[in-house]
Amino acid sequence: MLKGIHPVLNPDLLRAIARMGHGDEIVIADANFPSSTMGPEVIRADGVSATAMAEAILTHMPLDTFVSETAWRMQVVGDPEATPEVCSEFQAIVSARAGNFAVASLERFAFYDRARTAAYIVATTEFRLYGNLILKKGVVHPGEVFWG
C-alpha cells in the first residue's frame, strides 16, 4: 500500500502509466471491447468501471497540451451525434481532473484503429455500452514532481 496513490491503480497500472511517455495513448475499455485482439498489452481491471478508471488515471497522468485533441470516445453506431451517459461522465471527469479538454468522438472502427496503436489497454468491467475512452499522455513539468 502506498500513500497518495489512487486505490484503483494496481501495480500493473502504475507501471504502465509511469512507463508511458509524452504522446503515448492508453485505452480504457468497457466489458464488450475486444481488448485481447487489439495488439497492445492488456491490463485487467476487473470489478472497476471505466469512469472510475478514468478518474484514477487522470489523478496522476496529465493530458497532452501540444495537440488539438487529447481524449476520444467511441461514437454510437447509427447515431454519431448521440452522447451516452457514460460519455458525458467521461467529459466531466476529464474537465475536473485534466482541465479544459474536449472529449472528441471517433467512429467505431476509427476508434479500434487508434486503440491498436496505444501503449496499453485497460480492460474494465464497465457494462454500459460505449464506455470506451482513449487518453493521450502529456508532459509532467519539473514543478509537478515530488522529491520529498
Side-chain angles (χ1 to χ4, degrees):
M1 191 59 115
L2 297 172
K3 291 171 39 177
I5 302 296
H6 196 288
V8 168
L9 297 178
N10 64 41
D12 293 332
L13 283 164
L14 286 171
R15 174 185 158 271
I17 62 174
R19 291 181 70 176
M20 290 172 61
H22 180 208
D24 283 345
E25 296 178 1
I26 190 165
V27 178
I28 300 170
D30 69 18
N32 288 300
F33 193 82
S35 299
S36 64
T37 59
M38 287 283 121
E41 180 180 339
V42 176
I43 301 168
R44 300 290 315 171
D46 298 317
V48 179
S49 71
T51 51
M53 184 54 64
E55 177 88 24
I57 289 172
L58 289 172
T59 296
H60 301 288
M61 188 185 89
L63 292 182
D64 197 347
T65 59
F66 294 11
V67 294
S68 61
E69 292 182 342
T70 192
W72 300 267
R73 65 174 180 87
M74 186 185 291
Q75 288 178 355
V76 174
V77 174
D79 189 4
E81 300 304 315
T83 304
E85 179 184 337
V86 66
C87 295
S88 295
E89 291 178 30
F90 285 147
Q91 181 60 69
I93 292 164
V94 166
S95 296
R97 287 288 174 190
N100 190 24
F101 296 94
V103 176
S105 67
L106 289 174
E107 182 274 332
R108 176 182 170 212
F109 292 105
F111 190 96
Y112 288 162
D113 287 344
R114 187 163 205 119
R116 286 183 181 94
T117 66
Y120 299 96
I121 296 175
V122 182
T124 72
T125 48
E126 176 64 67
F127 292 111
R128 292 178 288 179
L129 300 180
Y130 299 99
N132 302 295
L133 182 67
I134 299 174
L135 301 170
K136 182 182 283 290
K137 188 173 184 179
V139 172
V140 176
H141 297 277
E144 298 171 318
V145 178
F146 176 72
W147 293 102

